Amino acid sequence: MPSTDISDIQQFYARHMQLLDDGAAEQWARTFTDDAVFAAPSLREPVRGREAIAAGARAAAEGRAGAGEVHRHWVGMTTLGPGVRDGIEAVSYVQILAVGRQGPPRVHLSCVMRDRLVRQDGELRVAERRITRDDRP
Amino acid sequence: MPSTDISDIQQFYARHMQLLDDGAAEQWARTFTDDAVFAAPSLREPVRGREAIAAGARAAAEGRAGAGEVHRHWVGMTTLGPGVRDGIEAVSYVQILAVGRQGPPRVHLSCVMRDRLVRQDGELRVAERRITRDDRP
Amino acid sequence: MPSTDISDIQQFYARHMQLLDDGAAEQWARTFTDDAVFAAPSLREPVRGREAIAAGARAAAEGRAGAGEVHRHWVGMTTLGPGVRDGIEAVSYVQILAVGRQGPPRVHLSCVMRDRLVRQDGELRVAERRITRDDRP
């Protein structure tokens, strides 16, 4: 993917996280590949495929609604590995702000997000994601 | 505005918010159009025009000085709508850090900022801004 | 440096801060010039040169390890001054998240970072850095 630059990837992550935070689970899942793998400390084992990824996002949105909270995922400090045949490696910091109806926002989590991004039909998509939490190094 | 890209807009917001946080109210107001409209939960009704926008920024700077606080507005996760005849729609997350002389910084507010940006004399300017607070969804 | 744009500088800072937070003190020091000057409120006088800068980063990493904490330096809202013969002036906000094994992340510090960046052998490097803390204006 020689023509992908950091600006494309920043815009991808912005749209990607706005969809997640807005609870648009199906649209969010479509920013992954069909057979994407998603590994996170909150998951006993990696989730595979868009259906499972969408289901996880729906459950998270319901949990936030039940708690009366809004979450905002900020992605930043992204570094790109050398482009390889099967995609681009992107390593980013993520901070999640949680905002309730009472009291000020709080920094809910600080994570590192390691993605392999690919282009399909001209669109960037996540093929593989591994999340680590900074409070569980 | 076909030649405006995300980098231009990031740099615009960086300068725009540094001016606000530095208390440079008049310079800040000049990053809006003459007849800009600014709507925010803290305002009973939308503010219109540079004079009113500058007055609001001056009042906010005086409030911070009285409280012995520095504010830092972070804009991120910006998505751009399709360019239209009358400007670009930009939707961003905003977090405001408040820093007093005692104790650590705190996340004062988490907001979503919906702007219509235009170019005038080659410079980006805010023509319309609507702020929503995440604690008052 | 007419060909340096904001994207280059964002990528530089992302790599620079990932190295610092990962405790890669020697690699981090190599993102400064040989004779770089580093001034910060935590230092009685400015540090000069890569050796001293690396030593400071090693000491900080040991302190974090001793406290069982991870730090994440977020750089944002960067404005660039006009390119001059001896480099580019870049003014950024910095927030440092500190994450322990207990409890949520906290915003440890909010700072302003004023850098003079130069290119050497095609690589961006910090020639001069001045940090101010927002709680000590």
Side-chain angles (χ1 to χ4, degrees):
Chain A
M1 297 192 288
S3 67
T4 300
D5 66 16
I6 189 71
S7 295
D8 295 323
I9 288 168
Q10 288 172 341
Q11 290 197 269
F12 171 77
Y13 281 134
R15 177 165 172 272
H16 178 75
M17 292 304 190
Q18 287 190 11
L19 290 171
L20 177 64
D21 294 334
D22 288 347
E26 271 66 33
Q27 283 178 273
W28 189 66
R30 285 199 289 273
T31 63
F32 291 83
T33 62
D34 264 342
D35 58 350
V37 176
F38 190 129
S42 57
L43 304 164
R44 255 173 309 181
E45 51 185 37
V47 161
R48 289 171 192 277
R50 276 186 188 159
E51 279 305 306
I53 288 169
R58 270 194 303 273
E62 285 162 15
R64 294 195 303 270
E69 278 196 349
V70 170
H71 281 196
R72 299 292 175 196
H73 286 72
W74 288 68
V75 177
M77 309 310 288
T78 302
T79 56
L80 303 182
V84 288
R85 198 176 50 82
D86 58 350
I88 285 181
E89 302 285 338
V91 178
S92 306
Y93 292 174
V94 180
Q95 61 174 275
I96 307 175
L97 293 186
V99 192
R101 310 249 171 120
Q102 309 286 342
R106 60 195 170 79
V107 185
H108 174 57
L109 282 179
S110 172
C111 300
V112 175
M113 180 171 81
R114 290 176 177 79
D115 276 355
R116 184 165 57 82
L117 302 171
V118 297
R119 270 203 194 272
Q120 289 185 336
D121 309 322
E123 298 290 325
L124 282 168
R125 290 197 179 120
V126 181
E128 193 177 348
R129 170 163 295 171
R130 286 168 294 138
I131 305 278
T132 51
R133 286 173 56 153
D134 291 332
D135 56 351
R136 300 178 190 173
Chain B
M1 295 193 289
S3 67
T4 300
D5 65 16
I6 189 71
S7 295
D8 295 323
I9 288 169
Q10 288 171 342
Q11 291 197 270
F12 171 76
Y13 281 135
R15 178 167 171 270
H16 178 75
M17 291 304 189
Q18 287 191 11
L19 290 171
L20 177 64
D21 294 335
D22 288 347
E26 271 65 34
Q27 282 176 275
W28 189 66
R30 285 197 291 273
T31 64
F32 292 83
T33 62
D34 263 343
D35 58 350
V37 176
F38 191 129
S42 58
L43 303 165
R44 255 174 307 181
E45 52 185 37
V47 160
R48 290 171 191 277
R50 276 185 188 159
E51 278 306 306
I53 288 169
R58 270 193 304 271
E62 285 163 15
R64 294 195 304 271
E69 278 195 350
V70 170
H71 281 197
R72 298 293 175 197
H73 285 74
W74 288 68
V75 177
M77 309 311 287
T78 302
T79 57
L80 303 182
V84 288
R85 196 177 52 84
D86 58 349
I88 285 180
E89 301 286 337
V91 178
S92 306
Y93 292 175
V94 180
Q95 61 174 274
I96 306 175
L97 293 185
V99 193
R101 310 250 172 119
Q102 308 286 341
R106 60 193 170 79
V107 185
H108 174 57
L109 282 179
S110 172
C111 299
V112 175
M113 180 172 81
R114 290 176 176 81
D115 276 354
R116 185 164 57 82
L117 302 172
V118 298
R119 269 204 195 272
Q120 289 184 337
D121 309 322
E123 297 291 324
L124 281 168
R125 291 197 178 119
V126 182
E128 195 177 346
R129 170 164 294 172
R130 285 168 295 138
I131 305 279
T132 51
R133 286 172 58 151
D134 290 332
D135 56 351
R136 300 179 189 171
Chain C
M1 296 194 290
S3 68
T4 300
D5 66 16
I6 188 71
S7 295
D8 296 323
I9 288 168
Q10 288 172 341
Q11 290 197 270
F12 170 77
Y13 281 134
R15 178 166 172 273
H16 178 74
M17 290 306 189
Q18 287 190 11
L19 290 171
L20 177 63
D21 294 335
D22 289 348
E26 269 67 33
Q27 282 177 273
W28 189 66
R30 284 198 291 273
T31 63
F32 291 83
T33 62
D34 263 342
D35 58 349
V37 177
F38 191 129
S42 57
L43 304 165
R44 254 173 309 182
E45 52 184 38
V47 160
R48 288 169 193 277
R50 276 185 187 159
E51 278 307 304
I53 288 170
R58 270 194 304 272
E62 285 162 15
R64 294 194 304 270
E69 278 196 348
V70 170
H71 281 196
R72 297 294 176 196
H73 286 73
W74 289 67
V75 177
M77 310 309 290
T78 302
T79 56
L80 303 182
V84 287
R85 197 175 50 85
D86 57 348
I88 285 181
E89 301 287 337
V91 178
S92 305
Y93 292 175
V94 180
Q95 60 175 275
I96 306 174
L97 292 185
V99 192
R101 310 252 170 118
Q102 309 287 341
R106 60 194 170 77
V107 186
H108 174 57
L109 281 179
S110 172
C111 299
V112 174
M113 180 172 80
R114 291 176 176 81
D115 276 355
R116 184 165 57 84
L117 302 172
V118 298
R119 268 202 196 274
Q120 290 184 336
D121 309 322
E123 298 290 325
L124 282 168
R125 290 195 179 121
V126 181
E128 194 177 347
R129 169 164 295 171
R130 286 168 294 138
I131 305 278
T132 51
R133 287 173 56 151
D134 290 332
D135 56 351
R136 300 179 189 171

